[in-house]
């Protein structure tokens, strides 16, 4: 059984969608560990409630990025994690971390990449005035929101949307496509060829 290590920074609703997909028999994987970079966040509570090992590696208590990531890697390795799932993890990972789990880190981003990368996708979407947005599951490479794309879902941007209403519409799709993309990985159906992912 593939072991997932899910890394979060806050609310953890994407984490919950993965927990639920496993519980419903839609995803054959085990969440071996939930890691956060902040204490007292809802993601930790969700993991606890589901009986999943969870811990916080508090970035603020680490001397620098290197020691923070070394601690994360130690925990992931100790839990024998096969695939790292970034689910609302709001920190950029260094090339060293990315290389340690090369082609084995997934992220979900709340826009149709390569449009609107970065930490304020919904704000940027609304400011730009595009009529369609959505979400993207991708493998993580050494850039920001730039890795090979696995799956995307689109939603309309409606007249009168604010960041909250748009985020809620996108989130519904996130909760569908993230477990589905992980399932493809688990089934061995994702082949990375350059910057493309072929689903076989
Ligand atoms: C999601 O919108 C995800 O796309 C982004 O951060 C948000 C996380 O939400 N990377 P949650 O913490 O999973 O509820």
């Amino acid at each position: 059984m593939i072991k997932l290590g899910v890394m979060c920074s806050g609310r953890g609703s994407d984490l919950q969608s993965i927990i639920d997909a496993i519980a419903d028999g839609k995803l054959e994987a085990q969440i071996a560990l939930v890691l956060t970079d902040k204490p007292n966040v809802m993601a930790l509570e969700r993991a606890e409630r589901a009986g999943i090992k969870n811990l916080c590696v508090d970035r603020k208590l680490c001397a620098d990025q290197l020691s923070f990531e070394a601690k994360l890697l130690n925990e992931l390795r100790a839990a024998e994690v096969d695939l790292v799932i970034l689910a609302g993890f709001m920190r950029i990972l260094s090339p060293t971390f990315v290389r340690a789990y090369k082609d084995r880190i997934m992220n979900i981003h709340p826009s149709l990449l390569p449009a609107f990368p970065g930490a304020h996708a919904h704000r940027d979407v609304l400011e730009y005035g595009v009529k369609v947005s959505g979400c993207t599951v991708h493998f993580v490479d050494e850039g920001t929101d730039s890795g090979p794309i696995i799956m995307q879902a689109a939603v309309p941007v409606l007249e009168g949307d604010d960041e909250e209403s748009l985020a809620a519409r996108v989130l519904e799709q996130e909760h569908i496509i993230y477990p589905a993309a992980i399932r493809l990985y688990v089934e061995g159906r994702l082949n990375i060829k350059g910057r493309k992912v072929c689903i076989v």
Side-chain angles (χ1 to χ4, degrees):
M1 178 105 65
I2 294 250
K3 290 187 180 175
L4 310 176
V6 185
M7 303 199 340
C8 309
S9 294
R11 180 180 52 184
S13 71
D14 284 326
L15 163 68
Q16 190 67 53
S17 73
I18 299 164
I19 293 174
D20 293 346
I22 292 172
D24 294 347
K26 291 180 188 153
L27 175 61
E28 247 183 81
Q30 181 202 343
I31 303 179
L33 177 64
V34 169
L35 283 176
T36 69
D37 61 324
K38 289 186 198 137
N40 307 318
V41 292
M42 225 211 286
L44 291 169
E45 269 175 51
R46 291 181 194 268
E48 192 64 33
R49 229 184 293 144
I52 299 166
K53 183 180 176 203
N54 60 89
L55 61 106
C56 165
V57 176
D58 193 340
R59 173 65 181 90
K60 291 207 175 110
L61 302 181
C62 298
D64 51 26
Q65 183 73 8
L66 201 70
S67 62
F68 171 60
E69 290 188 357
K71 283 183 188 156
L72 294 176
L73 285 172
N74 271 342
E75 296 299 340
L76 293 168
R77 284 177 181 138
E80 298 178 336
V81 163
D82 302 298
L83 178 67
V84 177
I85 301 294
L86 305 182
F89 187 70
M90 299 309 283
R91 296 198 177 267
I92 305 286
L93 295 166
S94 75
T96 311
F97 186 101
V98 173
R99 271 182 235 130
Y101 276 89
K102 188 170 161 37
D103 297 341
R104 294 191 297 143
I105 310 173
M106 280 188 194
N107 182 41
I108 188 153
H109 179 77
S111 77
L112 292 176
L113 290 172
F116 309 109
H120 305 285
H122 300 306
R123 185 194 70 191
D124 298 344
V125 159
L126 291 169
E127 271 176 12
Y128 199 93
V130 293
K131 302 297 188 194
V132 177
S133 190
C135 49
T136 303
V137 180
H138 62 93
F139 283 111
V140 173
D141 67 6
E142 293 178 21
T144 304
D145 300 328
S146 57
I149 290 172
I150 301 165
M151 208 179 260
Q152 293 184 299
V155 302
V157 179
L158 300 179
E159 220 50 59
D161 260 341
D162 56 16
E163 283 184 48
E164 207 182 315
S165 61
L166 177 59
R169 195 174 308 120
V170 171
L171 209 55
E172 256 180 55
Q173 297 304 313
E174 293 187 28
H175 297 161
I176 297 169
I177 70 167
Y178 215 177
I182 297 167
R183 181 181 172 149
L184 290 175
Y185 181 94
V186 166
E187 292 173 345
R189 295 178 56 198
L190 300 178
N191 279 352
I192 304 178
K193 288 191 182 142
R195 73 144 299 107
K196 289 189 189 159
V197 177
C198 302
I199 300 175
V200 293

